Every structure is written in structure tokens, then in C-alpha cells.
């Protein structure tokens, strides 16, 4: 039954009744099984947090700035600083930073909606170490 639950995207946490030790199964979502970017719980939560981080970062400028070249230059600095911050968040040696690499591929006024700014960022995110393959050669 637990395998069926896990296949359905339920994150299972159990406890040994004798020792009290807590066990967690691999955290997965209901996303497409073959796509690790959709299926891996850790990855989807990390990406959600990054999106909320940038939403909060941009909040002071929405409704209070005009879409001009000088504003876009200033916003580029804000985005670059935000990326550097996310890359510097080393929670531990085993977890590493929230973002490994990031590149702003677009930062410009939207071509149709003139009151919008388009910011596109390519991210390299950490993945969970779900397996370690070992090859012993004699």
C-alpha cells in the first residue's frame, strides 16, 4: 500500500515503534514520473522558493517605476545581486547553494504589453543524490 501511495506522489514518513526512529521515503510529487524536474519534491520546492524570492525582489518596483532604459539597467543590477545571493546560500556542504549557476538571458520591455518587463533567467539547480554508482576495477 505504501508503494501505491508513493507512486501517487505521497511523501511517506514513518516511525519505528520500538526505537522511535523516523524514516522518510523519497519525496516525490504527482508530476510525470519520467521527468525529474516535475517528479522530484526537493527540486519543485526549491524552484517555488526561487520564484517567490524574485517576486518579493520585484515587488518594490511594480506600480512605482516606469519602463525606461535607466530603470531596466537598474533592474539588471537588482537581478544580478539576487542571483549572487541565491548562489551564496550554502546551507551545508552536503546541500550546497540554492542555485549553482544562473544567467539572465533576457531583460527587456515586453513587445506587446508595453507596461511589462520580461526577465528570463536560465538556472542550474542542485539535484538530490538519489543514487551513487560504484565501479570497482581489479
Amino acid at each position: 500500500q505504501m508503494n501505491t501511495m508513493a507512486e501517487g506522489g505521497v511523501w511517506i514518513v514513518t516511525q519505528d515503534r520500538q526505537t522511535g526512529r523516523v524514516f522518510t521515503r523519497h519525496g516525490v510529487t504527482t508530476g510525470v514520473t519520467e521527468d525529474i524536474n516535475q517528479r522530484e519534491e526537493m527540486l519543485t520546492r526549491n524552484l517555488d522558493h526561487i520564484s517567490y524570492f524574485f517576486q518579493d525582489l520585484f515587488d518594490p518596483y511594480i506600480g512605482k517605476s516606469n519602463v525606461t532604459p535607466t530603470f531596466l539597467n537598474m533592474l539588471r543590477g537588482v537581478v544580478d545581486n539576487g542571483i549572487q545571493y541565491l548562489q551564496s546560500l550554502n546551507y551545508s556542504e552536503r546541500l550546497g547553494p540554492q542555485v549553482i549557476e544562473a544567467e539572465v538571458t533576457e531583460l527587456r520591455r515586453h513587445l506587446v504589453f508595453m507596461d511589462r518587463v520580461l526577465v528570463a533567467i536560465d538556472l542550474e539547480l542542485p539535484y538530490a543524490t538519489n543514487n551513487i554508482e560504484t565501479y570497482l576495477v581489479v
Side-chain angles (χ1 to χ4, degrees):
Q1 290 174 338
M2 282 199 257
N3 286 341
T4 303
M5 291 171 59
E7 289 171 6
V10 175
W11 188 346
I12 299 170
V13 179
T14 59
Q15 185 174 23
D16 184 305
R17 292 182 185 194
Q18 293 177 338
T19 65
R21 188 172 176 195
V22 175
F23 298 91
T24 180
R25 286 189 55 159
H26 181 191
V28 294
T29 70
T30 56
V32 178
T33 304
E34 295 78 22
D35 184 354
I36 192 170
N37 291 325
Q38 291 184 32
R39 188 71 172 163
E40 187 70 39
E41 174 84 19
M42 180 279 281
L43 191 66
T44 59
R45 285 183 185 266
N46 188 25
L47 190 57
D48 283 348
H49 181 267
I50 292 167
S51 70
Y52 290 128
F53 171 82
F54 279 106
Q55 182 179 359
D56 290 344
L57 197 65
F58 298 147
D59 187 58
Y61 308 104
I62 297 172
K64 300 174 187 100
S65 305
N66 290 330
V67 183
T68 63
T70 54
F71 172 70
L72 293 177
N73 285 336
M74 185 202 72
L75 189 62
R76 177 63 183 242
V78 169
V79 172
D80 288 342
N81 288 339
I83 288 170
Q84 287 177 349
Y85 174 77
L86 292 172
Q87 289 175 314
S88 69
L89 288 178
N90 273 325
Y91 293 106
S92 71
E93 285 185 21
R94 289 175 31 175
L95 296 178
Q98 195 168 4
V99 172
I100 296 172
E101 288 292 328
E103 178 184 0
V104 178
T105 56
E106 286 189 86
L107 196 152
R108 61 174 173 77
R109 183 179 65 194
H110 195 282
L111 296 177
V112 176
F113 303 104
M114 300 304 195
D115 62 340
R116 294 185 188 181
V117 173
L118 180 106
V119 180
I121 305 169
D122 283 350
L123 298 171
E124 180 185 344
L125 302 180
Y127 287 83
T129 306
N130 292 326
N131 295 289
I132 298 177
E133 294 185 19
T134 304
Y135 300 95
L136 302 175
V137 180
V138 179

